[in-house]
């Protein structure tokens, strides 16, 4: 098998070391591997800002980092996995300071998610990155690892509220997180319009109180006719509000009895 080489044609000893068993790698070589690994991550972030995700290539990263493409391929199976790791250190994941006010805490969680997906250059590359992850399942796990710490912390927050009776006992807290996360990702990445405070308030109100999102007054063209669906913005019975008149899975019948 041919010896991997740098972009300039010289032999790349690092690529050979990467293939060696860990117990056969000397401390000096391990340090060099770590330094090269960090150099690749730095080069990836720099080139993302310069050329964008679609024009980013392993060839360009290898040239900038001073390693061979073979070295990069030994560590990352594809571009998506490399970019996810390169950006993981820049993802804002501050802890949610619980206040005991479920509505305020959920609003904070949604706001932090907006900040996460809106961070530069994450927002600009997210559509193309998600497309690559969907096409190549090997990137799915890395992407999940990137967002799972934030998601898990919010699920735990909602689970505590459920166990304390502040949410109905049959509430699917994981689905609650998926609902607002999907909304945020769509608006920030596809529409390129990160949700503002008004949208955040409406999403939280929908999840906790079943209140339908309301149009801005300038967008309302006519009043609903009798028999139409409930007016947007009006409080609707919610399956997630502890004191709502209707709760999922037969609460209405239990109240009648």
């Amino acid at each position: 098998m041919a010896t991997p080489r740098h972009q300039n044609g010289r032999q790349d000893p690092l690529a050979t070391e990467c293939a060696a068993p860990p117990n056969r790698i000397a401390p000096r070589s391990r340090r060099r591997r770590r330094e090269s690994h960090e150099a690749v991550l730095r080069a990836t972030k720099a080139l993302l800002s310069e050329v964008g995700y679609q024009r980013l290539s392993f060839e360009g990263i290898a040239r900038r980092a001073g390693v061979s493409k073979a070295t990069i391929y030994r560590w990352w199976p594809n571009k998506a996995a490399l970019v996810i790791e390169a950006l993981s250190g820049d993802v804002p994941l501050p802890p949610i300071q619980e206040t005991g006010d479920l509505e305020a805490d959920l609003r904070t969680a949604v706001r932090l998610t907006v900040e996460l997906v809106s961070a530069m250059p994450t927002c600009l590359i997210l559509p193309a990155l998600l497309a690559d992850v969907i096409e190549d399942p090997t990137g799915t796990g890395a992407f999940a690892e990137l967002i799972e710490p934030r998601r898990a912390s919010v699920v735990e927050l909602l689970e505590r509220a459920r166990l304390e009776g502040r949410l109905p006992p049959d509430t699917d807290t994981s689905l609650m997180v998926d609902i607002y996360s999907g909304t945020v990702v769509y608006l920030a990445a596809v529409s390129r319009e990160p949700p503002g405070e008004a949208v955040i308030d409406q999403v939280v109100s929908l999840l906790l109180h079943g209140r339908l999102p309301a149009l801005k007054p300038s967008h309302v063209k006519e009043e609903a006719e009798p028999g139409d669906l409930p007016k947007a913005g009006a409080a609707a019975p919610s399956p997630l509000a502890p004191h709502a008149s209707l709760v999922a899975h037969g609460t209405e019948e239990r109240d009648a009895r």
Side-chain angles (χ1 to χ4, degrees):
M1 183 177 66
T3 301
R5 297 180 180 276
H6 281 296
Q7 294 290 319
N8 57 16
R10 295 199 303 271
Q11 180 176 320
D12 184 4
L14 178 63
T16 303
E17 292 169 3
C18 290
N23 60 354
R24 294 182 57 187
I25 300 176
R28 181 179 178 182
S29 296
R30 284 196 293 268
R31 184 175 64 254
R32 183 162 52 187
R33 289 180 65 184
R34 183 174 62 253
E35 292 171 351
S36 296
H37 188 277
E38 293 171 354
V40 171
L41 296 179
R42 288 195 301 271
T44 300
K45 289 195 289 186
L47 288 170
L48 272 175
S49 299
E50 295 172 17
V51 304
Y53 181 82
Q54 291 181 323
R55 295 178 58 193
L56 185 70
S57 67
F58 274 14
E59 289 85 351
I61 295 169
R63 189 178 304 111
R64 178 70 62 91
V67 301
S68 70
K69 284 198 303 179
T71 297
I72 298 177
Y73 275 113
R74 290 185 189 279
W75 287 330
W76 296 279
N78 51 50
K79 182 169 68 172
L82 172 53
V83 168
I84 288 169
E85 181 173 342
L87 294 178
S88 62
D90 299 332
V91 173
L93 290 174
I96 298 175
Q97 302 296 332
E98 293 188 47
T99 65
D101 182 334
L102 179 59
E103 188 162 345
D105 291 343
L106 184 56
R107 187 178 293 109
T108 297
V110 177
R111 188 180 298 112
L112 290 173
T113 302
V114 171
E115 293 175 3
L116 187 156
V117 301
S118 301
M120 295 293 289
T122 308
C123 182
L124 295 178
I125 71 167
L126 196 54
L129 179 61
L130 287 175
D132 274 5
V133 168
I134 292 171
E135 287 291 327
D136 189 344
T138 60
T140 305
F143 188 76
E145 290 177 5
L146 180 67
I147 63 175
E148 184 56 29
R150 163 63 62 230
R151 186 181 185 281
S153 67
V154 181
V155 171
E156 290 174 4
L157 182 154
L158 295 173
E159 275 296 297
R160 281 192 290 274
R162 185 182 66 83
L163 294 174
E164 294 168 0
R166 291 182 288 148
L167 287 173
D170 55 357
T171 299
D172 188 336
T173 54
S174 292
L175 184 57
M176 287 180 69
V177 176
D178 291 340
I179 288 171
Y180 79 70
S181 298
T183 301
V184 169
V185 168
Y186 177 82
L187 292 175
V190 179
S191 300
R192 300 295 176 88
E193 295 180 1
E197 289 298 320
V199 174
I200 292 173
D201 287 344
Q202 292 196 81
V203 169
V204 171
S205 186
L206 175 64
L207 287 171
L208 294 181
H209 307 301
R211 190 181 296 275
L212 299 175
L215 292 170
K216 295 179 180 179
S218 60
H219 293 165
V220 179
K221 296 182 179 180
E222 60 183 34
E223 293 293 329
E225 295 295 330
D228 285 348
L229 291 172
K231 186 177 179 181
S238 169
L240 295 178
H243 305 294
S245 59
L246 294 179
V247 178
H249 306 303
T251 299
E252 185 178 24
E253 288 77 6
R254 291 198 300 270
D255 289 345
R257 293 195 296 270

